[in-house]
Amino acid sequence: MSLPHAILTALLEKPSSGLELTRRFDRSIGYFWSATHQQIYRELGRLEAEGHIRALPTEQPARGQKKSYEVLPAGRAELQRWTAAAQDPRPHRDPLLLRMRAAAVVGTEGIEADLRRHLTLHQRQLAEYEEIEKRDFPPGRDSAQDRLRHLVLRAGIDLETFWTQWLAHALEEFAELPGAEDG
């Protein structure tokens, strides 16, 4: 249910075409809610059919020209309703953690190498988030919108910090396991 709300949020921030939304998802919202180009276009169609968004009028015929969309009052009301509604946290599902549990019963071949790979990926993501923080949230940017956006980014930074610390600890533990193999 959250993809339509992610799209409504992005369109309220700036009316955009489907292609522009895809690019924006790749650079911001996609860090915490990803969607493919096809999913975004399919959802734009649904939101338009439901009267939540509309294609902006163009001066030229629409054939072959990208449509830009804006949020209608019904879309803003839906986003406000969804934002205000209580929602329980979802259980965390991570294949790496399940693989670690499985390794306890079938052997550890390949796990250490993948832990190292994951550590590198999380370190890169953490560095990217920290660069975004330096660039987009310098001292003095403290409007309500900036503070809320920064909180979302801080969640990403804190999660990546957790993963880098946990993976480093897991690799230390792994090195001490009797019979641990790298494969």
Side-chain angles (χ1 to χ4, degrees):
M1 183 72 172
S2 295
L3 179 57
H5 301 102
I7 291 172
L8 288 169
T9 299
L11 290 175
L12 278 169
E13 291 173 342
K14 180 183 178 202
S16 304
S17 68
L19 181 58
E20 291 165 339
L21 277 173
T22 299
R23 289 180 181 147
R24 288 173 58 206
F25 264 70
D26 289 344
R27 290 188 319 262
S28 63
I29 290 175
Y31 287 126
F32 56 90
W33 197 269
S34 62
T36 66
H37 186 73
Q38 293 84 3
Q39 288 171 316
I40 290 170
Y41 273 92
R42 190 171 38 248
E43 200 57 52
L44 285 170
R46 283 190 199 121
L47 288 167
E48 190 173 26
E50 292 169 357
H52 291 164
I53 64 171
R54 73 175 180 129
L56 291 169
T58 60
E59 296 175 10
Q60 301 166 355
R63 187 164 184 87
Q65 186 178 356
K66 62 182 178 182
K67 290 192 237 179
S68 285
Y69 296 90
E70 69 177 354
V71 177
L72 296 171
R76 179 180 284 276
E78 168 55 22
L79 189 58
Q80 288 171 326
R81 181 209 60 77
W82 180 77
T83 301
Q87 196 170 52
D88 291 338
R90 288 189 169 168
H92 183 73
R93 294 172 56 174
D94 190 292
L96 178 62
L97 297 177
L98 181 57
R99 290 175 52 232
M100 293 283 289
R101 181 72 183 250
V105 293
V106 298
T108 59
E109 186 176 338
I111 295 292
E112 184 176 5
D114 206 35
L115 288 172
R116 290 187 192 290
R117 187 178 70 82
H118 276 252
L119 178 57
T120 299
L121 293 171
H122 284 287
Q123 287 169 331
R124 284 185 199 147
Q125 190 64 63
L126 177 58
E128 186 174 343
Y129 286 163
E130 288 171 338
E131 277 301 309
I132 292 169
E133 184 176 41
K134 281 185 217 168
R135 181 193 69 218
D136 293 351
F137 299 101
R141 274 194 81 175
D142 61 352
S143 71
Q145 287 182 333
D146 286 335
R147 290 175 78 169
L148 291 173
R149 287 181 183 131
H150 193 195
L151 276 172
V152 173
L153 178 61
R154 282 301 319 172
I157 290 170
D158 292 347
L159 284 169
E160 292 304 328
T161 299
F162 161 79
W163 279 112
T164 57
Q165 291 173 348
W166 182 86
L167 286 159
H169 177 74
L171 284 164
E172 289 169 7
E173 288 286 325
F174 197 91
E176 296 177 15
L177 293 176
E181 314 167 12
D182 187 12

